Amino acid sequence: MPVTLEKIPGQEERVILNMGPQHPSTHGVLRLVLELEGETVVRSLYDIGYLHTGFEKSFEAKTYTQCITLTDRMDYLAPLSNNLGFCLATEKLLELEIPPTAQWIRVLLTELTRIQSHLVWLGSHAIDLGAMSVFLYCFREREILETIFENVAGQRMMTSYFRVGGLAVEPPLGWLKPVEKFVREFPDHLREYEDLLTKNPIWLERTVGVGKVSAEDAVAIGLSGPSLRGSGVKWDIRKNQPYSSYEKFEFDVPTRSEGDVYARYLVRLEEMRQSLRIVRQAIDGMPEGRVRANAPHIVMPDREEMKTSIEGLIYHFKLVTEGFHPPIGEVYQAIESPRGELGFYMVSDGSPKPFRCHVRAPSFANLQSLGKMIEGRLIADVVACIGSIDIILGEVDR
Amino acid sequence: MMEEPKEPPKAAEGGETPKPAAEGSKAAAPPGKPAAASPKPPAPAGGAAVPPAKPAAPPAKPPAPAAKAPVKPEPWSSPLLDELQKRFPGAIREAVIFRKMPSLTVSKESLLALGQFLKSDEGGAYTLLTDETAVDYPKREKRFDVIYHVYSFQRNDRLRLKVLVGEGEKVPSVTGIWPTSNWLEREVFDMFGVVYEGHPDLKRILLPDEWTGHPLRKDYDILRQDDAWVEANLNIKSGQ
């Protein structure tokens, strides 16, 4: 039996309303049970797990390289961020140094992923609140980004492009051309969204003062990412604990102190601008060189090398049939995914498969804050609040 | 059609001889592997002599990672640890640092007091519990590691706490200290069957409430499921 709320004796006139799992505004398969007093939410209950696919169990049955394909499927709007988190955790375990070119490309692509993910968020958030056209514009730009990903990785969504030790393959010649074009044109598009929303009275009516979370509450409940920064906590893992040479890039961490839906909206919009700044720097300063670390016992040899040298052949054979053996130990690596802190806690027992790999999913932690936001507010605000914390159910349920 | 599936069991039954033979020919890996491994040591010398310089570059590198001896976690020392040991004598069973991340193994009894102290300004203001999970080591006497990752904004520092728990033992819930652990503890309970004491609402979170078994335990096979539940609720017969 699905879980539900029991009526409180003496309060029988209150309505218990089921929302989801098939509901367009729940962004996937989230099920809410709301107790309503008129139109006001008094109590709420969350039922998650409809998309539980046992990723963490599957990790234990696959080699490290095979696991990368699984990570795509958790947060399917930011597959490259997930790839990066997993690869960085494994590299930390192996103490592997990555060539600068690979790091730069990783940064560039994950920032484009952030923009792409925020575009989907903005589009769907706006359509939830009744602004249809923004959705169309956002998806127009997202298409350009997806084409860039396809050009580089061969896949639009399930990219699996990063590997332990670098990248899967070198990006094709001239791949930066469309990126440059995007960087040139995107600020105008951003202005376009802002024209439609930022000062729109209906938008303000629906978002300002809705779903307030104070900074203390946000930290206590474990919010992270733009949702936390919308509450005035200036914390970005890219700045505070840089990884993948983020310390070499210049960017600001936007924060707002209001802690409402509107603040989270503004933070994400500004983040897109900052991501664009990083992308621009990455294009300008892109170093030349290999995209894979020189560690033949971990990184697959080039095709050419495999065919012409005996070492290449042996390493290729060993890596394909067996995989690499990280040292025994445990690591935790967090990255700033578009949704917040994405952490990989990995335990290795020295075998080619992770002994345990736990994913600290930002959406999972962020979703917990929803109760604080919606209780005592109107039912229409529930939709605004769900949209504003930007959850991905694939990541919540894992 | 009926005879076909009968044949393989018969062959397996017939004796152990065909089976290993088939296995060896199928994979070709086991016999190939030792053969491939043995020329590895002489390869750098021979390889460098015959082909051009290109393949000589990779073999030059492997000794470097192999020489990285400090694989073992090292003992951790810091002012915070000294302070903790002074305030909670005997509470910290082990303090190690591995890949720049300190990890404290804490006794179950002192977890709450220690957590409370770490959260306070004196203890470093580890106000954010980023992650809580468990690891199952079925061969150990206390089979579960319950893991807490805490973060301090003030010190920009992460810390790992670890509590060793046996089967059926209860762990004090840290929901009173870090409210975010509410769902995280439910997830651990769901996946490992670790029971928390003092949790406000300890029930399954990802799996259905009536599910039996805890999937992330090592003795839970990856293909296993609660057949009775699946049949009753999804109308799918086992093996279908």
Side-chain angles (χ1 to χ4, degrees), chain A residues 155-227:
Chain A
Q155 288 276 349
R156 285 160 58 85
M157 281 182 84
M158 300 302 143
T159 45
S160 301
Y161 182 56
F162 300 156
R163 289 286 186 285
V164 176
L167 310 175
V169 287
E170 259 180 57
L173 278 176
W175 73 285
L176 282 174
K177 282 246 164 63
V179 182
E180 278 162 8
K181 185 163 179 279
F182 178 82
V183 170
R184 259 198 322 275
E185 290 172 359
F186 191 62
D188 286 343
H189 295 309
L190 261 178
R191 223 163 292 135
E192 213 168 6
Y193 316 142
E194 288 228 80
D195 285 345
L196 286 165
L197 294 176
T198 306
K199 284 179 186 158
N200 182 332
I202 307 172
W203 183 256
L204 294 173
E205 197 73 29
R206 291 298 303 274
T207 57
V208 175
V210 174
K212 275 201 169 197
V213 180
S214 69
E216 292 81 50
D217 283 351
V219 172
I221 207 77
L223 268 182
S224 57
S227 309

Side-chain angles (χ1 to χ4, degrees), chain A residues 25 27 121 125 128 261 268 382-391:
Chain A
S25 312
H27 295 242
W121 158 79
H125 189 35
D128 283 348
V261 175
R268 285 203 181 86
V382 174
V383 173
C385 291
I386 297 174
S388 77
I389 49 173
D390 191 17
I391 48 164

Side-chain angles (χ1 to χ4, degrees), chain B residues 25 28 32 36 43 63 68 71 73 79-80 87 105 119 126 145 147-148 173 188 203 216 220 223 226:
Chain B
S25 65
K68 247 176 236 162
V71 160
L80 177 67
R87 281 177 183 256
T105 308
K119 199 194 170 189
Y126 289 87
D145 268 3
I147 313 272
Y148 305 82
S173 163
V188 174
K203 56 183 190 206
L216 278 180
Y220 195 99
L223 294 175
D226 184 351

Side-chain angles (χ1 to χ4, degrees), chain B residues 48-131:
Chain B
V50 184
K54 208 184 166 192
K61 213 61 217 252
K68 247 176 236 162
V71 160
K72 280 255 161 68
E74 289 162 15
W76 183 51
S77 58
S78 92
L80 177 67
L81 181 64
D82 297 339
E83 177 74 22
L84 286 175
Q85 263 160 348
K86 210 163 66 194
R87 281 177 183 256
F88 307 96
I92 294 162
R93 304 272 161 85
E94 198 185 18
V96 291
I97 184 160
F98 182 65
R99 303 282 188 260
K100 292 175 192 159
M101 175 87 162
S103 172
L104 301 177
T105 308
V106 174
S107 76
K108 207 177 65 182
E109 293 72 29
S110 51
L111 173 69
L112 287 185
L114 205 115
Q116 199 76 55
F117 176 70
L118 281 175
K119 199 194 170 189
S120 70
D121 282 344
E122 260 182 303
Y126 289 87
T127 46
L128 178 66
L129 177 78
T130 59
D131 194 17

Side-chain angles (χ1 to χ4, degrees), chain A residues 1 3 45-50 52 56-58 60-61 92-96 219-223 228 233 235 237 240-241 294-297 304-305 309-311 314-315 317-318 321-322 327-332 334 341 345 347 354-356 358-360 364-365 367-368 396-398, chain B residues 28-29 32-33 36 39-40 43-44 47 54-55 57-59 61-62 65 68 71 98-99 101 103 127-138 147 149 151 153 156-158 160 162 178-180 182-184 187 191-192 203 205-207 209-210 215-218 220-222 233:
Chain A
M1 267 302 287
V3 285
L45 183 146
Y46 311 91
D47 191 7
I48 57 173
Y50 286 91
H52 179 62
E56 291 178 14
K57 190 78 179 172
S58 303
E60 293 170 15
K92 200 178 201 179
L93 201 57
L94 290 157
E95 285 193 306
L96 194 61
V219 172
I221 207 77
L223 268 182
L228 180 65
V233 181
W235 183 54
I237 303 169
N240 293 59
Q241 302 193 320
N294 196 352
H297 56 303
E304 191 56 34
E305 207 178 304
S309 82
I310 184 73
E311 293 84 13
I314 293 167
Y315 282 128
F317 182 78
K318 288 280 269 182
T321 53
E322 198 182 321
I328 297 169
E330 47 192 325
V331 290
Y332 181 80
E341 171 170 340
Y345 170 63
V347 182
F355 184 75
R356 169 104 174 90
H358 175 73
V359 184
R360 190 274 183 200
F364 186 76
L367 183 58
Q368 247 194 109
V396 174
D397 296 344
R398 276 158 291 141
Chain B
K33 221 187 287 170
K40 209 161 98 187
K54 208 184 166 192
K61 213 61 217 252
K68 247 176 236 162
V71 160
F98 182 65
R99 303 282 188 260
M101 175 87 162
S103 172
T127 46
L128 178 66
L129 177 78
T130 59
D131 194 17
E132 178 172 352
T133 185
V135 187
D136 182 15
Y137 298 93
I147 313 272
H149 286 111
Y151 177 77
F153 290 97
N156 188 23
D157 185 34
R158 289 180 196 276
R160 178 184 303 133
K162 219 186 251 189
W178 297 289
T180 178
N182 188 332
W183 281 21
L184 294 164
E187 193 192 338
M191 295 294 153
F192 290 92
K203 56 183 190 206
I205 185 163
L206 293 177
L207 293 172
D209 282 349
E210 306 84 14
L216 278 180
R217 288 185 174 199
K218 287 283 174 188
Y220 195 99
D221 189 83
I222 191 161
N233 290 276

